[in-house]
Amino acid sequence: FPSHDSSCISKDSLYIGTLAGIRRAPWSKLVNLNDFNEWRWAYESNGRLCNELASFRDTLYFQMDSTAYRYSQGNLSPINTEKRRIARIWTNSQGLHIVYPGKIINIGGTGNQNINLVYSVTQFKNGIYWFGTGIQDGLIKKDPNGEISYLPSGPATNSAFRMTKHGNYLVTTAGGVTATFGNAFNPGGFYIHHQGVWKNNINHPLNTNLYDFTYTAYAKQRDWQIAATHSFGVLIFKNNEVIGRWDETNSPLKKRIDGFIWVSGICEDAKGNIWIVSYGAETPLPCYTTAGTWRTFQIGLSGENELKGLEIDLNGNKWMIRQRGGILVFNEGKNLDATVDDQIGRAHV
């Protein structure tokens, strides 16, 4: 039996839409619908798909070639004059509904309405239409007082790069680096999960012009969540609220020749100091101390400032990945302000 896309019952016949037109068969318990000989052509479309079949007031409605049609007693007439992708044709207690970008046609109900971009649509018993656009997440409620958007409780995108958890908080960044550690220009941002609810990209003046969110950290001593970017700095938030930002205006972080600040690692040590890896910077390991001041360190040799990733072990050693291969290890010693006891080590594979 030929494949079919949709079907409906009108009067005493069952109609199915196919790639070649619309077939019908008697709608009766006495009829074997598996018998091809029971089916007759109601309308032949010359190879054009007929679907979205619906019956209303003994008239058949369907979609063919981006146009909605009315078919009755052998007569075929178009409903929309401009070809538009038909989102859906269906019937319910409030009449027949034909929806396509720009228009909701409602026959036997409250009347027609305007609608913008629409990909899929339904209607609740209260008469309110809900629809999706096909290009944005969530649903839109076509409320009489204005359209209202609803997003699911989940991450804004399916992109994920790093996660940091503390208590009931989970912070995930969308990522933003290429295979060569360049900018991916990912607008996904970051997502915070707390007690079953997701909060995406907290709206705040400090969270402006930031994208390519990468590394995350939890600063236990200050109870901060920190999210670094591959664009223009570091965002700090607490209890789902943005409280600060570090960039070239208030920290040793400096813009590269290309105008970006590449933060390639971040971690808190056992004393509460927050260490940042600034990829390609002249001083690639700035530290925000427990006293609220900044310290910078000269680590590595010339050309060794392309560092990424940061882990701090129980002895306070800072382990970083060298982009050109191997590992760099740094320890500032007992005195954070003195350089005489600084130690640097390298490991090559």
Side-chain angles (χ1 to χ4, degrees), residues 244-266:
R245 172 172 168 170
W246 291 330
D247 53 28
E248 76 281 3
T249 66
N250 60 356
S251 77
L253 297 173
K254 300 301 178 184
K255 288 185 176 180
R256 297 159 42 88
I257 296 177
D258 55 16
F260 295 110
I261 299 174
W262 287 1
V263 177
S264 51
I266 190 164

Side-chain angles (χ1 to χ4, degrees), residues 104 113-116 121 127-131 139-148 150:
I104 296 176
Q113 300 182 38
N114 294 324
I115 192 172
N116 291 320
V121 61
I128 302 296
Y129 291 96
W130 290 73
F131 65 96
L139 294 174
I140 299 175
K141 177 183 179 182
K142 193 168 175 54
D143 191 271
N145 297 319
E147 294 180 353
I148 304 172
Y150 292 85

Side-chain angles (χ1 to χ4, degrees), residues 200-220:
N200 299 302
N201 299 317
I202 301 170
N203 186 27
H204 193 278
L206 294 176
N207 187 19
T208 302
N209 200 30
L210 291 178
Y211 50 87
D212 285 347
F213 278 83
T214 52
Y215 295 89
T216 64
Y218 173 60
K220 182 178 180 180

